[in-house]
Amino acid sequence: MDITQRQITKIAREAGKFTSRTIKEEGVGTAEFDLIHVVRKRPGITQSEICRILGADKGAVAKQTANLEAKGYLQRQSNPSDGRSQLIYPTEQAQRLKNSKAHIETVFYDWLLDSLPQEERESFCRTLDTLYLRAKRESRAGFPEVTRRMAQEEGESDAR
């Protein structure tokens, strides 16, 4: 039984809706934003690497990359180690978009927390920080404990 009722996910989804709507006003869709994020994190990446990371179709990534280049978010350079491919880099406009997303999310979460008294807000943020750090440690380790729990639950349901 999930006592959280997936509320963290639901709140993040609402923040994402607001962020997506606001970013779309800059002419960037959510899939394009994900692609920009990958390029920002790995400047000098190839399209085939982007496909692998996003799990996206080669044609779709090629189209999105061309669109984002035309909009001024990405730039291509020849790959000196492979004449057939090009390296993709973010532009300053892409970096500003990142800052814009963080700002939009901050405004949303500030608004959300404004409804709590200061003491509750501080307590909630401490708890949230504890949960985030635990999740991050588990992620960095490759999710061993969560994977173990999933396997354990599957075993229990098979036994029924």
Side-chain angles (χ1 to χ4, degrees):
M1 170 103 145
D2 176 14
I3 62 170
T4 70
Q5 298 179 347
R6 300 178 48 251
Q7 297 290 17
I8 295 170
T9 302
K10 293 173 184 176
I11 291 168
R13 188 178 302 130
E14 297 306 322
K17 286 178 191 176
F18 176 69
T19 302
S20 293
R21 189 182 78 197
T22 305
I23 286 175
K24 276 187 180 171
E25 293 171 6
E26 295 189 46
V28 177
T30 53
E32 289 177 321
F33 189 85
D34 290 343
L35 194 149
I36 290 170
H37 180 74
V38 168
V39 174
R40 279 190 33 262
K41 292 289 185 183
R42 296 168 183 85
I45 192 170
T46 64
Q47 269 188 199
S48 61
E49 291 171 310
I50 294 170
C51 292
R52 182 183 52 77
I53 291 167
L54 293 177
D57 177 73
K58 186 177 176 181
V61 169
K63 184 177 179 180
Q64 288 172 346
T65 302
N67 286 342
L68 290 169
E69 187 177 17
K71 293 176 185 178
Y73 291 102
L74 302 177
Q75 60 186 13
R76 299 174 198 247
Q77 294 179 7
S78 296
N79 186 343
S81 63
D82 178 3
R84 296 173 295 147
S85 68
Q86 294 181 317
L87 303 177
I88 303 167
Y89 293 90
T91 63
E92 278 302 312
Q93 187 175 346
Q95 297 298 354
R96 283 192 304 275
L97 185 61
K98 172 234 177 205
N99 295 334
S100 172
K101 182 178 187 255
H103 176 71
I104 294 164
E105 290 170 342
T106 297
V107 169
F108 181 87
Y109 288 120
D110 283 348
W111 165 82
L112 188 63
L113 291 174
D114 278 349
S115 64
L116 298 176
Q118 184 65 28
E119 186 176 309
E120 275 186 55
R121 188 180 320 170
E122 290 170 4
S123 176
F124 173 76
C125 288
R126 281 192 304 273
T127 301
L128 193 59
D129 190 52
T130 299
L131 294 174
Y132 169 73
L133 293 173
R134 183 170 192 221
K136 196 65 176 173
R137 281 191 304 271
E138 181 71 1
S139 173
R140 286 183 176 147
F143 299 102
E145 293 300 316
V146 179
T147 301
R148 182 187 55 75
R149 278 197 189 187
M150 290 291 295
Q152 184 179 8
E153 285 184 12
E154 287 174 12
E156 290 171 3
S157 67
D158 289 344
R160 289 182 207 155

